[in-house]
Amino acid sequence: MFFIFATYVYSMKDTFKHQGLRNQLVSVLQTKGVTNTEVLAAIKEIPRHLYMDASFEEYAYQDVAFPIAAEQTISQPYTVGFQSQLLEIQPGEKVLEIGTGSGYQTSVLVHLGAVVYTIERQQELYKKTSNLLPKLGYRPKHMYFGDGYKGLPDFAPFDKIIVTCGAPFLPKPLLAQLKVGGRMVIPVGDEQQMMTLITRNSPKEFDKQVIEECAFVPMLKNKNLKNFS
Ligand code: SAH
């Protein structure tokens, strides 16, 4: 029992070494164009290694995507920084995230002061991450096991929407749930995607800005879902 407890406490450790590695990561992201100071502060603060399996800790502060559970990945730090920066989050804004995954991007949004609603379609990840985030002190307002294509109509409209999986097309419900004046950042495409920024100018008018190539795991259809709420 003591051993299990000791292992658990050890595995949640954030050391000076980790903090030093995060400072280096922040410098790397700055050279790649992540310049928003609040976003960089979040990356500097959040212990990314605790969102990954302990045995892969050495990869946590390299600027790479990495496998997590259920054949999914924790997004590359640059991607997290870049998407967060594009959202231009102000504290108190209501943000919808599609693809909770490890919860790392969720934590960056929470750190930025957003009120976060997040959806994950893999039950294993949903359970694991809903358990992890409160322990790390990054609590989204709501975390759902559900289908991101549908968004969360009951809580709409959202100031900002972020999609962290590759969408084959722009899901109409997500466009409908974006506030007028709001921004949505979404990778659109099949194997390779284009990072796309949507701004809603009026109830019927959307502006679309295609920014750069990116590569995400695909946004999956409803087919494997059981016990769906
Ligand atoms: N932001 C996450 C990225 C995880 S990868 C992180 O940094 O860890 C993308 C995630 O999107 C995966 O966890 C995947 O299961 C989830 N996903 C894929 N299709 C989805 C859908 N239709 N609805 C909600 N989540 C989805």
Side-chain angles (χ1 to χ4, degrees):
M1 184 63 197
F2 173 74
F3 175 72
I4 294 171
F5 181 69
T7 312
Y8 172 73
V9 170
Y10 178 74
S11 66
M12 296 292 282
K13 232 163 114 178
D14 186 35
T15 63
F16 284 124
K17 186 179 162 212
H18 295 124
Q19 289 160 29
L21 291 171
R22 281 204 292 283
N23 287 337
Q24 283 174 24
L25 175 63
V26 163
S27 308
V28 170
L29 300 189
Q30 277 174 310
T31 64
K32 294 184 178 179
V34 180
T35 51
N36 179 292
T37 46
E38 280 82 25
V39 171
L40 292 171
I43 291 170
K44 192 171 161 172
E45 182 91 11
I46 301 172
R48 187 171 185 262
H49 62 284
L50 299 181
Y51 296 75
M52 295 165 59
D53 192 290
S55 50
F56 300 130
E57 207 187 287
E58 61 187 294
Y59 298 98
Y61 298 107
Q62 294 179 16
D63 189 24
V64 291
F66 208 79
I68 47 174
E71 294 172 16
Q72 303 304 322
T73 55
I74 178 168
S75 298
Q76 184 185 349
Y78 164 73
T79 306
V80 173
F82 188 60
Q83 282 194 291
S84 304
Q85 173 168 293
L86 282 172
L87 285 175
E88 295 182 357
I89 289 173
Q90 299 302 316
E93 281 185 338
K94 218 161 112 186
V95 178
L96 173 65
E97 178 192 38
I98 310 300
T100 319
S102 68
Y104 178 69
Q105 170 75 73
T106 316
S107 301
V108 170
L109 298 170
V110 172
H111 197 283
L112 291 170
V115 177
V116 183
Y117 295 72
T118 183
I119 311 179
E120 172 56 52
R121 69 171 281 288
Q122 300 273 9
Q123 199 165 26
E124 183 188 351
L125 276 171
Y126 165 75
K127 282 189 181 154
K128 197 171 165 183
T129 303
S130 9
N131 192 31
L132 177 73
L133 290 183
K135 283 185 193 140
L136 296 178
Y138 293 105
R139 287 173 192 270
K141 173 97 173 161
H142 282 294
M143 215 180 134
Y144 292 93
F145 167 53
D147 181 12
Y149 278 96
K150 298 191 179 105
L152 289 174
D154 290 351
F155 298 96
F158 295 95
D159 296 295
K160 308 284 160 73
I161 299 179
I162 174 170
V163 180
T164 72
C165 37
F169 52 85
L170 287 172
K172 283 214 176 87
L174 297 187
L175 290 170
Q177 290 169 33
L178 189 63
K179 214 177 248 183
V180 171
R183 290 158 89 84
M184 168 156 75
V185 178
I186 176 168
V188 185
D190 292 318
E191 257 150 57
Q192 278 276 345
Q193 303 94 28
M194 294 305 285
M195 189 65 82
T196 306
L197 172 65
I198 305 288
T199 330
R200 187 168 198 174
N201 297 329
S202 74
K204 291 207 169 143
E205 225 183 302
F206 293 86
D207 182 62
K208 180 172 155 190
Q209 210 180 318
V210 177
I211 300 172
E212 62 181 30
E213 232 174 62
C214 51
F216 283 78
V217 292
M219 185 171 182
L220 296 164
K221 283 297 213 180
N222 222 351
K223 59 186 176 196
N224 298 325
L225 288 170
K226 291 179 199 121
N227 307 325
F228 218 63
S229 53

